[in-house]
Amino acid sequence: MPGFEVFGEEEKKEIMDVLDTGVLFRYEFGEQRRGIYKVREFEEKFAGYCGAQYGQAVTSGTAALKVALAALGVGPGDEVITQCFTFVATWEAIFDSSAMPVFTEVDDTLNMDPADLENKITERTKVIIPVHMLGAQARIEEIKTIADRHGIPVLEDTAQAAGCRLKGRHLGTFGQCGTFSFDSVKTMTTGEGGMIITDDKDLWKKMSEYHDHGHDHVKNPGARGGEGRSFIGFNYRMMELQGAMGLAQLAKLDQMVASQKETKKILRKAAAKIPGVSFRNILDPEGDSATFFSFFLADKEQAVKVNKILRQNNAGAIAFGENSWHFYPHWEHLHANATLSRSGWPFKDQAGRQRVVYDPDVLPRSSALLDRLLVYQVPVNISKERVAEITAALEKAAG
Ligand SMILES: *Cc1c(COP(=O)(O)O)cnc(C)c1O
């Protein structure tokens, strides 16, 4: 998964280009920057790589969600549907937009279950956020069809799936927009950073202006100060050093994915020997970014037993069913309505009345599924010795 494994001369060169100009700001400084606009170039190249018209760089993947939700017009009283297996950032951004997250079950893709999505749509649903978790595809075509039938825009949280495709088409280009994260542990990294891609020019312009205090943007302007404003915004600007990192990392993305796919094949072959094992439903193995390898055991008891053997052999897997940052039943602060707001918002209204209850037990099918799931992160640079150690552990678990 992490792009930091392949930092090299390319990143240094891009960074030095920026330091040589002395300009860290993505706008202005016309003369001094000598034509170097790393963030702008990164936006254009990243969008181009994905096959999208526009890219909007921001400070993080969480900010990308927030800016996209703002541009899609989400506000108080609105509901936004996402899935119960995702990083907390997805629904933090929904709350930060003053809206309310509604959670669906996940299916054997480990992503949004389209049938449950249909159940959760109400007249208050303003956006649907499927997440392409662990580097592989959600049922995005089915989800888009359902959303279209209801006239609701789809925002793809593609934070974990840069470089991942479905039938040759990049994830993040199926919905109205797609958001990416380049944080320190993502496939390509700028330390902190994010991006939104879209083909909708009006949506891009709103995102571009909102993320920059509402400054009027015609097209990434160089000069500013005297221009107008159409609405209130905020500051989610990426800086030039991050843009420089992004350019170097993007150039390595396909290579990283290819290397992960090779390793994943070997791990899968070894795990297939475990009696009762089955695999995550990867809708398009060719397009998989292979950042993770996920497999199911027959039941929870076997998953615990297998992982014990794997751990004893220095190859313990991640049990996402127990993970407190990525799975709804373990978001105790959400269930407990923990908020810094003195009124209790967003769980309570200004009069102290309860607005919503998040019950940890309402998504039993996802719990049953994740309870028997084991996952390995697939590194970019992994030694032959380490691969052999993991496959030997899997073979031991096979008995
Ligand atoms: C990492 C991640 C984010 C947030 O990205 P940051 O850049 O860390 O803010 C959002 N959604 C998912 C699914 C993620 O994995």
Side-chain angles (χ1 to χ4, degrees):
M1 191 186 191
F4 64 72
E5 294 177 71
V6 295
F7 286 169
E9 291 307 315
E10 301 77 11
E11 281 78 4
K12 286 183 194 162
K13 189 221 161 259
E14 292 287 346
I15 292 281
M16 286 316 293
D17 284 353
V18 173
L19 291 181
D20 284 345
T21 67
V23 179
L24 298 181
F25 193 41
R26 65 163 301 175
Y27 300 119
E28 286 189 310
F29 294 89
E31 288 281 291
Q32 195 188 330
R33 66 191 315 142
R34 301 196 300 270
I36 292 185
Y37 288 88
K38 295 293 186 190
V39 176
R40 185 197 297 184
E41 192 186 342
F42 179 38
E43 288 171 337
E44 290 170 356
K45 290 210 165 128
F46 189 82
Y49 168 84
C50 294
Q53 290 289 316
Y54 306 97
Q56 179 59 54
V58 290
T59 43
S60 71
T62 314
L65 289 159
K66 175 69 197 302
V67 170
L69 287 169
L72 289 166
V74 170
D78 293 343
E79 290 176 1
V80 175
I81 300 178
T82 190
Q83 63 200 45
C84 66
F85 179 44
T86 184
F87 184 52
V88 293
T90 314
W91 51 270
E92 287 174 342
I94 298 169
F95 278 130
D96 210 53
S97 309
S98 304
M100 208 72 94
V102 174
F103 298 96
T104 73
E105 301 266 20
V106 294
D107 63 19
D108 62 354
T109 63
L110 296 179
N111 290 318
M112 184 177 281
D113 176 355
D116 199 37
L117 165 63
E118 193 88 67
N119 294 334
K120 302 270 159 83
I121 292 175
T122 72
E123 68 281 1
R124 290 183 299 279
T125 308
K126 288 292 149 48
V127 173
I128 296 165
I129 310 185
V131 186
H132 302 287
M133 277 298 278
L134 308 181
Q137 310 94 354
R139 296 184 193 275
I140 189 63
E141 292 175 309
E142 285 165 70
I143 291 164
K144 185 64 170 42
T145 303
I146 295 168
D148 284 351
R149 204 180 327 116
H150 292 270
I152 303 166
V154 171
L155 187 182
E156 297 172 70
D157 184 342
T158 323
Q160 298 195 5
C164 186
R165 302 158 172 86
L166 178 66
K167 299 176 189 165
R169 183 168 162 190
H170 275 270
L171 299 185
T173 63
F174 288 81
Q176 270 67 19
C177 58
T179 60
F180 293 82
S181 164
F182 311 122
D183 79 22
S184 297
V185 295
K186 295 301 203 281
T187 311
M188 50 174 285
T189 181
T190 60
E192 297 281 3
M195 183 85 78
I196 310 137
I197 56 171
T198 183
D199 283 339
D200 181 334
K201 185 168 188 184
D202 180 57
L203 191 64
W204 168 75
K205 192 160 175 288
K206 283 179 185 155
M207 296 187 302
S208 173
E209 295 178 358
Y210 178 79
H211 106 293
D212 182 27
H213 299 299
H215 280 280
D216 262 357
H217 287 180
V218 182
K219 188 176 192 295
N220 291 338
R224 51 207 262 133
E227 72 277 39
R229 296 173 289 251
S230 308
F231 47 76
I232 60 168
F234 210 76
N235 176 6
Y236 292 107
R237 287 185 306 253
M238 182 181 265
M239 70 168 173
E240 289 289 280
L241 292 172
Q242 294 157 294
M245 286 297 293
L247 285 167
Q249 287 269 292
L250 177 61
K252 300 177 181 182
L253 180 54
D254 282 339
Q255 233 173 283
M256 290 195 269
V257 168
S259 145
Q260 288 164 175
K261 277 168 91 168
E262 282 311 304
T263 305
K264 184 167 170 173
K265 257 186 227 158
I266 301 169
L267 299 182
R268 188 186 150 113
K269 213 172 140 197
K273 295 175 186 159
I274 302 173
V277 79
S278 61
F279 298 102
R280 175 187 188 180
N281 184 355
I282 304 281
L283 298 179
D284 174 9
E286 196 52 45
D288 185 8
S289 69
T291 50
F292 289 89
F293 168 51
S294 313
F295 55 105
F296 300 107
L297 286 310
D299 51 31
K300 183 175 183 172
E301 199 189 343
Q302 191 196 7
V304 170
K305 207 176 102 201
V306 164
N307 207 12
K308 197 173 158 206
I309 300 170
L310 296 174
R311 268 199 304 268
Q312 283 163 352
N313 290 278
N314 194 30
I318 307 164
F320 273 107
E322 292 162 18
N323 187 289
S324 70
W325 288 98
H326 296 84
F327 191 34
Y328 177 87
H330 304 302
W331 294 329
E332 82 297 336
H333 57 328
L334 175 68
H335 309 308
N337 301 348
T339 170
L340 285 177
S341 159
R342 276 189 271 168
S343 69
W345 185 268
F347 306 102
K348 290 187 173 131
D349 68 14
Q350 260 81 2
R353 284 178 301 243
Q354 192 73 27
R355 298 176 68 227
V356 63
V357 171
Y358 289 99
D359 175 348
D361 299 319
V362 294
L363 298 161
R365 282 191 287 126
S366 302
S367 289
L369 196 65
L370 265 69
D371 272 351
R372 53 191 190 88
L373 174 73
L374 292 181
V375 176
Y376 282 113
Q377 188 172 314
V378 180
V380 179
N381 289 332
I382 184 166
S383 68
K384 282 202 170 61
E385 292 72 26
R386 179 62 184 151
V387 173
E389 187 171 43
I390 301 171
T391 52
L394 287 166
E395 276 157 20
K396 270 223 177 92

